[in-house]
Amino acid sequence: MAKQKINLKVANKAYSLTIDSEKEEVYRLASKAVNEYITALEQKFGDNYSAQERLSIAALKFCIGYVEISRQNELSSDDLAALDALSQ
């Protein structure tokens, strides 16, 4: 896999990363999603939350989504295994 350096800005902080070239779009979409969510929090709550608190809330939101998807995939795998067992 070819590697490449990219620069991403998250919460107004720049990060230089070396990633697999074919994953560039995923990284850019992820940083865009985080920044959009942080901006939405800023608009909704103003200065009531610090930058660190907004990042923490964003991390929690996206991790909750990840856990939900992981659980759905586990259930789907179990369901497929049960169907395989029935078909035999």
Side-chain angles (χ1 to χ4, degrees):
M1 282 186 204
K3 299 279 187 179
Q4 77 177 63
K5 282 192 168 205
I6 63 169
N7 293 308
L8 297 177
K9 196 175 237 187
V10 177
N12 295 319
K13 182 166 169 88
Y15 297 92
S16 180
L17 304 168
T18 302
I19 62 166
D20 293 333
S21 295
E22 64 272 1
K23 293 183 180 180
E24 179 182 4
E25 183 180 12
V26 172
Y27 278 73
R28 293 201 185 279
L29 289 171
S31 68
K32 181 180 178 187
V34 170
N35 288 325
E36 287 174 351
Y37 188 69
I38 289 170
T39 298
L41 289 173
E42 289 170 345
Q43 291 171 351
K44 185 173 183 177
F45 297 108
D47 292 334
N48 291 334
Y49 292 116
S50 69
Q52 182 177 351
E53 288 171 320
R54 288 190 296 268
L55 278 170
S56 296
I57 293 167
L60 182 60
K61 175 200 185 312
F62 290 110
C63 284
I64 288 169
Y66 172 78
V67 169
E68 287 176 341
I69 290 170
S70 294
R71 283 189 172 180
Q72 287 173 358
N73 287 342
E74 287 174 13
L75 292 175
S76 296
S77 296
D78 291 343
D79 292 339
L80 290 174
L83 290 172
D84 275 347
L86 285 175
S87 69
Q88 307 217 2

Coordinates of all heavy atoms in Angstrom, one line a residue:
M1 N 0.8 -1.2 0.0 CA 0.0 0.0 0.0 C 0.9 1.2 0.0 O 1.8 1.3 0.8 CB -0.9 0.0 1.2 CG -2.1 -0.9 1.2 SD -3.1 -0.6 2.6 CE -3.9 -2.2 2.6
A2 N 0.5 2.2 -0.9 CA 1.3 3.4 -0.9 C 0.8 4.3 0.2 O -0.3 4.4 0.6 CB 1.0 4.1 -2.3
K3 N 1.8 5.0 0.8 CA 1.5 5.9 1.9 C 1.6 7.3 1.4 O 2.3 7.6 0.4 CB 2.6 5.7 3.0 CG 2.6 4.4 3.7 CD 1.5 4.3 4.7 CE 1.6 2.9 5.4 NZ 0.6 2.8 6.4
Q4 N 0.9 8.2 2.0 CA 1.0 9.6 1.7 C 0.8 10.5 2.9 O 0.2 10.1 3.9 CB 0.0 10.0 0.6 CG -1.4 10.2 1.1 CD -2.3 10.6 -0.1 OE1 -2.5 9.9 -1.0 NE2 -2.9 11.8 0.1
K5 N 1.4 11.7 2.9 CA 1.2 12.6 4.0 C 0.0 13.5 3.6 O -0.1 14.0 2.5 CB 2.4 13.5 4.2 CG 3.5 12.8 4.9 CD 4.6 13.7 5.3 CE 5.5 13.0 6.3 NZ 6.2 13.9 7.2
I6 N -0.8 13.7 4.6 CA -1.9 14.7 4.5 C -1.9 15.6 5.7 O -1.4 15.3 6.8 CB -3.3 14.0 4.3 CG1 -3.7 13.2 5.5 CG2 -3.3 13.2 3.1 CD1 -5.1 12.7 5.5
N7 N -2.5 16.8 5.5 CA -2.7 17.7 6.6 C -4.2 17.9 6.8 O -5.0 18.1 5.9 CB -2.1 19.0 6.3 CG -0.6 19.0 6.2 OD1 0.0 18.5 7.1 ND2 0.0 19.4 5.1
L8 N -4.6 17.6 8.1 CA -6.0 17.8 8.4 C -6.1 18.9 9.5 O -5.2 19.0 10.4 CB -6.6 16.5 8.9 CG -6.7 15.3 8.0 CD1 -7.2 14.1 8.7 CD2 -7.5 15.7 6.8
K9 N -7.2 19.6 9.5 CA -7.5 20.6 10.6 C -8.7 20.1 11.3 O -9.8 19.9 10.7 CB -7.6 21.9 10.0 CG -7.5 23.1 11.0 CD -7.6 24.4 10.3 CE -6.4 25.2 10.7 NZ -6.4 26.6 10.2
V10 N -8.5 19.9 12.6 CA -9.7 19.5 13.5 C -9.7 20.5 14.6 O -8.7 20.7 15.3 CB -9.5 18.1 14.0 CG1 -10.6 17.7 14.9 CG2 -9.4 17.1 12.9
A11 N -10.9 21.1 14.8 CA -11.1 22.1 15.9 C -10.0 23.2 15.8 O -9.4 23.5 16.8 CB -11.1 21.4 17.2
N12 N -9.7 23.6 14.6 CA -8.7 24.7 14.4 C -7.3 24.3 14.7 O -6.5 25.2 14.9 CB -9.2 26.0 15.1 CG -10.4 26.6 14.6 OD1 -10.6 26.6 13.4 ND2 -11.3 27.0 15.4
K13 N -7.0 23.1 14.8 CA -5.6 22.6 15.1 C -5.2 21.7 13.9 O -6.0 20.8 13.5 CB -5.5 21.9 16.4 CG -4.1 21.4 16.7 CD -4.0 21.0 18.1 CE -2.7 20.3 18.3 NZ -1.5 21.0 18.7
A14 N -4.1 22.0 13.3 CA -3.6 21.2 12.2 C -2.8 20.0 12.6 O -2.1 20.0 13.6 CB -2.7 22.1 11.3
Y15 N -3.1 18.9 11.9 CA -2.4 17.6 12.1 C -1.8 17.1 10.8 O -2.5 17.1 9.8 CB -3.4 16.6 12.7 CG -4.0 17.0 14.0 CD1 -5.2 17.7 14.1 CD2 -3.3 16.7 15.2 CE1 -5.7 18.1 15.3 CE2 -3.8 17.1 16.4 CZ -5.0 17.8 16.5 OH -5.5 18.2 17.7
S16 N -0.6 16.7 10.9 CA 0.1 16.1 9.7 C 0.1 14.6 10.0 O 0.6 14.1 11.0 CB 1.5 16.6 9.6 OG 2.1 16.0 8.5
L17 N -0.5 13.8 9.0 CA -0.6 12.4 9.2 C 0.0 11.7 8.0 O -0.1 12.2 6.8 CB -2.0 12.0 9.3 CG -2.8 12.6 10.5 CD1 -4.3 12.3 10.3 CD2 -2.4 12.1 11.8
T18 N 0.5 10.5 8.2 CA 0.9 9.6 7.1 C -0.1 8.5 7.1 O -0.2 7.7 8.0 CB 2.4 9.1 7.2 OG1 3.2 10.2 7.3 CG2 2.8 8.2 6.1
I19 N -0.8 8.3 5.9 CA -1.9 7.3 5.9 C -1.7 6.5 4.6 O -1.0 6.9 3.7 CB -3.2 8.0 5.9 CG1 -3.4 9.0 4.7 CG2 -3.4 8.8 7.2 CD1 -4.8 9.4 4.4
D20 N -2.5 5.4 4.5 CA -2.6 4.7 3.2 C -3.3 5.6 2.2 O -4.4 6.2 2.6 CB -3.4 3.4 3.4 CG -2.6 2.4 4.3 OD1 -1.4 2.4 4.3 OD2 -3.3 1.6 5.0
S21 N -2.8 5.7 1.0 CA -3.4 6.6 0.0 C -4.9 6.4 -0.2 O -5.6 7.3 -0.4 CB -2.6 6.4 -1.3 OG -1.3 6.9 -1.1
E22 N -5.3 5.1 -0.2 CA -6.7 4.8 -0.6 C -7.6 5.2 0.6 O -8.9 5.2 0.4 CB -6.9 3.4 -1.0 CG -6.6 2.4 0.1 CD -5.2 1.9 0.1 OE1 -4.4 2.4 -0.7 OE2 -4.9 1.1 1.0
K23 N -7.1 5.6 1.7 CA -8.0 6.0 2.9 C -8.1 7.5 3.0 O -8.7 8.0 4.0 CB -7.4 5.4 4.2 CG -7.6 3.9 4.2 CD -7.1 3.3 5.5 CE -7.2 1.8 5.5 NZ -6.8 1.2 6.7
E24 N -7.5 8.3 2.1 CA -7.5 9.7 2.2 C -8.9 10.3 2.3 O -9.2 11.1 3.2 CB -6.8 10.4 1.1 CG -6.8 11.9 1.2 CD -6.1 12.6 0.0 OE1 -5.7 11.9 -1.0 OE2 -6.0 13.8 0.0
E25 N -9.8 9.8 1.5 CA -11.2 10.4 1.5 C -11.8 10.1 2.8 O -12.5 11.0 3.4 CB -12.0 9.7 0.4 CG -13.4 10.3 0.3 CD -14.2 9.7 -0.8 OE1 -13.8 8.7 -1.4 OE2 -15.3 10.3 -1.1
V26 N -11.6 8.9 3.4 CA -12.2 8.6 4.7 C -11.7 9.6 5.8 O -12.5 10.1 6.6 CB -11.9 7.1 5.1 CG1 -12.4 6.8 6.5 CG2 -12.6 6.2 4.1
Y27 N -10.4 9.8 5.8 CA -9.9 10.7 6.8 C -10.4 12.2 6.6 O -10.8 12.8 7.6 CB -8.3 10.8 6.7 CG -7.7 9.6 7.4 CD1 -7.7 8.3 6.9 CD2 -7.0 9.8 8.6 CE1 -7.1 7.3 7.6 CE2 -6.3 8.8 9.3 CZ -6.4 7.5 8.7 OH -5.8 6.5 9.4
R28 N -10.5 12.6 5.4 CA -11.0 13.9 5.1 C -12.5 14.1 5.5 O -12.9 15.1 6.0 CB -10.7 14.3 3.7 CG -9.3 14.5 3.4 CD -9.0 15.3 2.2 NE -7.5 15.3 1.9 CZ -6.6 16.1 2.5 NH1 -7.0 16.9 3.5 NH2 -5.3 16.0 2.1
L29 N -13.3 13.1 5.1 CA -14.7 13.1 5.5 C -14.9 13.0 7.0 O -15.8 13.7 7.5 CB -15.4 11.9 4.8 CG -15.6 12.0 3.3 CD1 -16.2 10.7 2.7 CD2 -16.5 13.2 3.0
A30 N -14.1 12.3 7.7 CA -14.1 12.2 9.2 C -13.8 13.5 9.8 O -14.5 14.0 10.7 CB -13.2 11.1 9.7
S31 N -12.7 14.2 9.3 CA -12.4 15.5 9.9 C -13.5 16.5 9.6 O -13.8 17.3 10.5 CB -11.0 15.9 9.5 OG -11.0 16.3 8.1
K32 N -14.0 16.4 8.4 CA -15.1 17.4 8.1 C -16.3 17.2 9.0 O -16.9 18.1 9.5 CB -15.5 17.2 6.6 CG -16.6 18.1 6.2 CD -17.0 17.8 4.7 CE -18.1 18.8 4.3 NZ -18.6 18.5 3.0
A33 N -16.7 15.9 9.3 CA -17.8 15.6 10.1 C -17.6 16.1 11.5 O -18.5 16.7 12.2 CB -18.1 14.1 10.1
V34 N -16.4 15.9 12.1 CA -16.1 16.4 13.4 C -16.2 17.9 13.5 O -16.8 18.5 14.4 CB -14.7 15.9 13.9 CG1 -14.3 16.6 15.2 CG2 -14.7 14.4 14.0
N35 N -15.6 18.6 12.5 CA -15.6 20.0 12.5 C -17.0 20.6 12.3 O -17.4 21.6 13.0 CB -14.7 20.6 11.3 CG -13.2 20.4 11.7 OD1 -12.8 20.5 12.8 ND2 -12.4 20.1 10.6
E36 N -17.8 19.9 11.5 CA -19.2 20.4 11.4 C -20.0 20.2 12.7 O -20.8 21.1 13.0 CB -19.9 19.6 10.2 CG -19.4 20.1 8.9 CD -20.0 19.2 7.7 OE1 -20.6 18.2 8.0 OE2 -19.8 19.6 6.6
Y37 N -19.7 19.1 13.4 CA -20.4 18.9 14.6 C -20.0 19.9 15.7 O -20.8 20.5 16.4 CB -20.2 17.5 15.1 CG -21.1 17.1 16.3 CD1 -22.5 17.0 16.2 CD2 -20.5 16.9 17.6 CE1 -23.3 16.8 17.3 CE2 -21.3 16.7 18.7 CZ -22.7 16.6 18.5 OH -23.5 16.3 19.6
I38 N -18.7 20.2 15.7 CA -18.2 21.2 16.7 C -18.7 22.6 16.4 O -19.1 23.3 17.3 CB -16.6 21.2 16.7 CG1 -16.1 19.9 17.3 CG2 -16.1 22.4 17.4 CD1 -14.6 19.7 17.1
T39 N -18.8 22.9 15.1 CA -19.4 24.2 14.7 C -20.9 24.3 15.2 O -21.4 25.3 15.7 CB -19.3 24.4 13.2 OG1 -17.9 24.4 12.9 CG2 -20.0 25.7 12.8
A40 N -21.6 23.1 15.0 CA -23.0 23.1 15.4 C -23.1 23.3 16.9 O -24.0 24.0 17.4 CB -23.7 21.8 15.0
L41 N -22.2 22.7 17.7 CA -22.2 22.9 19.1 C -21.9 24.3 19.5 O -22.6 24.9 20.4 CB -21.2 22.0 19.8 CG -21.5 20.5 19.8 CD1 -20.3 19.7 20.4 CD2 -22.7 20.2 20.7
E42 N -21.0 24.9 18.8 CA -20.7 26.4 19.1 C -21.9 27.3 18.8 O -22.2 28.2 19.6 CB -19.5 26.8 18.2 CG -18.2 26.2 18.6 CD -17.1 26.5 17.5 OE1 -17.4 26.9 16.4 OE2 -15.9 26.3 17.9
Q43 N -22.6 27.0 17.7 CA -23.7 27.8 17.4 C -24.9 27.6 18.4 O -25.6 28.5 18.7 CB -24.2 27.5 16.0 CG -23.3 27.9 14.9 CD -23.6 27.4 13.5 OE1 -24.5 26.6 13.3 NE2 -22.9 27.9 12.5
K44 N -25.0 26.4 18.8 CA -26.1 26.0 19.8 C -25.8 26.5 21.2 O -26.7 27.1 21.8 CB -26.4 24.5 19.8 CG -27.6 24.1 20.6 CD -27.9 22.7 20.4 CE -29.1 22.3 21.2 NZ -29.5 20.9 21.0
F45 N -24.6 26.4 21.6 CA -24.3 26.7 23.1 C -23.4 27.9 23.3 O -23.1 28.2 24.4 CB -23.7 25.4 23.7 CG -24.6 24.3 23.7 CD1 -24.4 23.2 22.9 CD2 -25.7 24.3 24.6 CE1 -25.3 22.1 22.9 CE2 -26.6 23.2 24.6 CZ -26.4 22.1 23.8
G46 N -22.9 28.4 22.2 CA -22.0 29.6 22.3 C -20.7 29.3 23.1 O -20.1 28.3 22.9
D47 N -20.4 30.1 24.1 CA -19.2 30.0 24.9 C -19.5 29.1 26.2 O -18.6 29.1 27.1 CB -18.7 31.3 25.3 CG -18.1 32.1 24.1 OD1 -17.7 31.4 23.1 OD2 -18.1 33.3 24.1
N48 N -20.6 28.5 26.3 CA -20.9 27.7 27.5 C -20.0 26.5 27.6 O -19.9 25.9 28.7 CB -22.4 27.2 27.5 CG -23.3 28.4 27.7 OD1 -23.0 29.4 28.2 ND2 -24.5 28.3 27.2
Y49 N -19.4 26.0 26.5 CA -18.5 24.9 26.5 C -17.1 25.3 26.0 O -17.0 26.1 25.0 CB -19.0 23.7 25.7 CG -20.2 23.0 26.2 CD1 -21.4 23.1 25.5 CD2 -20.2 22.4 27.4 CE1 -22.6 22.5 26.0 CE2 -21.3 21.7 27.9 CZ -22.5 21.8 27.2 OH -23.6 21.2 27.6
S50 N -16.1 24.8 26.6 CA -14.7 25.1 26.1 C -14.4 24.3 24.9 O -15.2 23.4 24.5 CB -13.7 24.8 27.2 OG -13.6 23.4 27.4
A51 N -13.4 24.6 24.2 CA -13.0 23.8 23.0 C -12.8 22.3 23.4 O -13.2 21.4 22.6 CB -11.7 24.4 22.3
Q52 N -12.2 22.1 24.5 CA -11.9 20.7 25.0 C -13.2 20.0 25.2 O -13.4 18.8 24.9 CB -11.1 20.7 26.2 CG -10.7 19.3 26.7 CD -9.8 19.2 27.9 OE1 -9.3 20.3 28.3 NE2 -9.6 18.1 28.4
E53 N -14.2 20.7 25.8 CA -15.5 20.1 26.1 C -16.2 19.8 24.8 O -16.9 18.7 24.7 CB -16.3 21.0 27.0 CG -15.8 21.1 28.4 CD -16.5 22.2 29.2 OE1 -16.8 23.3 28.7 OE2 -16.8 21.9 30.4
R54 N -16.2 20.7 23.8 CA -16.8 20.4 22.5 C -16.2 19.2 21.9 O -16.9 18.4 21.3 CB -16.7 21.7 21.6 CG -17.7 22.8 22.1 CD -17.8 23.9 21.1 NE -16.5 24.6 20.9 CZ -16.1 25.7 21.6 NH1 -16.8 26.2 22.5 NH2 -14.9 26.2 21.3
L55 N -14.9 19.1 21.9 CA -14.2 17.9 21.4 C -14.6 16.6 22.1 O -14.8 15.6 21.5 CB -12.7 18.1 21.4 CG -12.1 18.9 20.3 CD1 -10.6 19.2 20.6 CD2 -12.2 18.1 19.0
S56 N -14.7 16.7 23.4 CA -15.2 15.5 24.2 C -16.6 15.1 23.8 O -16.9 13.9 23.7 CB -15.1 15.9 25.7 OG -13.8 16.1 26.1
I57 N -17.5 16.1 23.7 CA -18.9 15.8 23.3 C -18.9 15.2 21.9 O -19.6 14.2 21.6 CB -19.7 17.1 23.3 CG1 -19.9 17.5 24.8 CG2 -21.1 16.8 22.7 CD1 -20.5 18.9 25.0
A58 N -18.1 15.7 21.0 CA -18.0 15.2 19.6 C -17.5 13.7 19.6 O -18.0 12.9 19.0 CB -17.1 16.0 18.7
A59 N -16.4 13.5 20.4 CA -15.9 12.1 20.5 C -16.9 11.2 21.0 O -17.1 10.1 20.5 CB -14.6 12.1 21.4
L60 N -17.6 11.6 22.1 CA -18.7 10.7 22.6 C -19.8 10.4 21.6 O -20.2 9.3 21.4 CB -19.3 11.4 23.9 CG -20.4 10.6 24.6 CD1 -19.8 9.3 25.1 CD2 -20.9 11.4 25.7
K61 N -20.2 11.5 20.9 CA -21.2 11.3 19.8 C -20.8 10.2 18.8 O -21.5 9.3 18.5 CB -21.5 12.6 19.1 CG -22.5 12.5 18.0 CD -22.4 13.7 17.1 CE -23.4 13.7 15.9 NZ -23.6 12.6 15.1
F62 N -19.6 10.4 18.3 CA -19.1 9.5 17.2 C -18.8 8.1 17.8 O -19.0 7.1 17.1 CB -17.9 10.1 16.5 CG -18.3 11.3 15.6 CD1 -18.0 12.6 16.0 CD2 -19.1 11.1 14.5 CE1 -18.4 13.7 15.2 CE2 -19.6 12.2 13.7 CZ -19.2 13.5 14.1
C63 N -18.4 8.0 19.0 CA -18.2 6.7 19.6 C -19.5 5.9 19.8 O -19.5 4.7 19.7 CB -17.3 6.8 20.9 SG -15.6 7.1 20.5
I64 N -20.5 6.7 20.2 CA -21.8 6.1 20.4 C -22.3 5.5 19.1 O -22.8 4.3 19.0 CB -22.8 7.1 21.0 CG1 -22.5 7.4 22.5 CG2 -24.2 6.6 20.8 CD1 -23.2 8.5 23.0
G65 N -22.1 6.2 18.0 CA -22.5 5.7 16.7 C -21.7 4.5 16.3 O -22.2 3.5 15.8
Y66 N -20.4 4.5 16.6 CA -19.5 3.3 16.3 C -20.0 2.1 17.1 O -20.1 1.0 16.5 CB -18.1 3.7 16.7 CG -17.2 2.5 16.6 CD1 -16.8 2.0 15.3 CD2 -16.8 1.8 17.7 CE1 -15.9 0.9 15.3 CE2 -16.0 0.6 17.6 CZ -15.6 0.2 16.4 OH -14.8 -0.9 16.3
V67 N -20.3 2.3 18.4 CA -20.7 1.1 19.2 C -22.1 0.6 18.7 O -22.3 -0.6 18.6 CB -20.8 1.6 20.7 CG1 -21.5 0.5 21.5 CG2 -19.4 1.8 21.3
E68 N -23.0 1.5 18.3 CA -24.3 1.1 17.8 C -24.1 0.2 16.5 O -24.7 -0.8 16.4 CB -25.2 2.3 17.5 CG -25.7 2.9 18.8 CD -26.6 4.1 18.5 OE1 -26.4 4.7 17.4 OE2 -27.3 4.5 19.4
I69 N -23.3 0.7 15.6 CA -23.0 0.0 14.4 C -22.4 -1.4 14.7 O -22.7 -2.4 14.1 CB -22.2 0.8 13.4 CG1 -23.1 2.0 12.9 CG2 -21.7 0.0 12.2 CD1 -22.3 3.0 12.1
S70 N -21.4 -1.4 15.6 CA -20.7 -2.6 15.9 C -21.7 -3.6 16.5 O -21.6 -4.8 16.1 CB -19.6 -2.3 16.9 OG -18.6 -1.5 16.4
R71 N -22.6 -3.2 17.3 CA -23.6 -4.1 17.9 C -24.5 -4.6 16.8 O -24.9 -5.8 16.8 CB -24.4 -3.4 19.0 CG -23.6 -3.3 20.3 CD -24.5 -2.8 21.4 NE -23.8 -2.9 22.6 CZ -24.4 -2.5 23.8 NH1 -25.6 -2.1 23.8 NH2 -23.7 -2.7 24.9
Q72 N -24.9 -3.8 15.9 CA -25.8 -4.3 14.8 C -25.1 -5.3 14.0 O -25.7 -6.3 13.6 CB -26.2 -3.1 13.9 CG -27.2 -2.2 14.6 CD -27.5 -0.9 13.7 OE1 -26.9 -0.7 12.7 NE2 -28.4 -0.1 14.2
N73 N -23.8 -5.1 13.7 CA -23.0 -6.0 12.9 C -22.9 -7.4 13.7 O -22.9 -8.4 13.0 CB -21.6 -5.5 12.5 CG -21.7 -4.4 11.5 OD1 -22.7 -4.3 10.8 ND2 -20.7 -3.6 11.4
E74 N -22.7 -7.3 15.0 CA -22.6 -8.5 15.8 C -23.9 -9.3 15.7 O -23.9 -10.5 15.5 CB -22.2 -8.2 17.2 CG -20.8 -7.8 17.5 CD -20.6 -7.3 18.9 OE1 -21.4 -7.6 19.8 OE2 -19.5 -6.7 19.1
L75 N -25.0 -8.6 15.8 CA -26.3 -9.3 15.8 C -26.5 -9.9 14.4 O -26.9 -11.0 14.2 CB -27.4 -8.3 16.1 CG -27.5 -7.8 17.5 CD1 -28.5 -6.8 17.7 CD2 -27.7 -9.0 18.5
S76 N -26.1 -9.2 13.4 CA -26.3 -9.7 12.0 C -25.4 -10.9 11.8 O -25.9 -11.9 11.2 CB -25.9 -8.6 11.0 OG -26.7 -7.5 11.1
S77 N -24.2 -11.0 12.3 CA -23.3 -12.1 12.2 C -23.9 -13.3 12.9 O -23.9 -14.4 12.4 CB -21.9 -11.8 12.7 OG -21.3 -10.8 12.0
D78 N -24.5 -13.1 14.1 CA -25.1 -14.1 14.9 C -26.3 -14.7 14.1 O -26.6 -15.9 14.1 CB -25.5 -13.7 16.3 CG -24.3 -13.4 17.2 OD1 -23.2 -13.9 16.8 OD2 -24.5 -12.7 18.2
D79 N -27.1 -13.8 13.6 CA -28.3 -14.2 12.8 C -27.9 -15.0 11.6 O -28.5 -16.1 11.3 CB -29.1 -13.0 12.3 CG -29.7 -12.2 13.5 OD1 -29.9 -12.8 14.6 OD2 -30.0 -11.0 13.3
L80 N -26.8 -14.6 10.9 CA -26.4 -15.4 9.8 C -25.9 -16.8 10.2 O -26.2 -17.8 9.5 CB -25.3 -14.7 9.0 CG -25.7 -13.4 8.3 CD1 -24.5 -12.7 7.7 CD2 -26.7 -13.8 7.2
A81 N -25.2 -16.9 11.3 CA -24.7 -18.2 11.8 C -25.9 -19.1 12.1 O -25.9 -20.3 11.9 CB -23.8 -18.0 13.0
A82 N -27.0 -18.5 12.7 CA -28.2 -19.3 13.1 C -28.8 -19.8 11.8 O -29.3 -20.9 11.8 CB -29.1 -18.4 13.9
L83 N -28.9 -18.9 10.8 CA -29.5 -19.3 9.5 C -28.7 -20.4 8.9 O -29.3 -21.4 8.3 CB -29.7 -18.1 8.6 CG -30.7 -17.1 9.0 CD1 -30.6 -15.9 8.1 CD2 -32.1 -17.7 8.9
D84 N -27.4 -20.3 8.9 CA -26.5 -21.4 8.4 C -26.8 -22.7 9.1 O -26.8 -23.7 8.5 CB -25.0 -21.0 8.5 CG -24.6 -20.1 7.4 OD1 -25.3 -20.0 6.4 OD2 -23.4 -19.6 7.5
A85 N -26.9 -22.6 10.4 CA -27.1 -23.8 11.2 C -28.5 -24.5 10.8 O -28.6 -25.7 10.7 CB -27.1 -23.5 12.7
L86 N -29.5 -23.7 10.6 CA -30.8 -24.2 10.2 C -30.8 -24.8 8.8 O -31.5 -25.8 8.6 CB -31.8 -23.0 10.2 CG -32.3 -22.6 11.5 CD1 -33.2 -21.4 11.4 CD2 -33.1 -23.7 12.2
S87 N -30.0 -24.2 7.9 CA -30.0 -24.8 6.6 C -29.3 -26.1 6.4 O -29.4 -26.8 5.5 CB -29.4 -23.7 5.6 OG -28.0 -23.6 5.9
Q88 N -28.5 -26.5 7.5 CA -27.8 -27.7 7.4 C -28.5 -28.8 8.0 O -28.9 -29.6 8.3 CB -26.4 -27.5 8.1 CG -25.8 -26.3 7.6 CD -24.3 -26.5 7.4 OE1 -23.7 -27.5 7.7 NE2 -23.7 -25.4 6.9

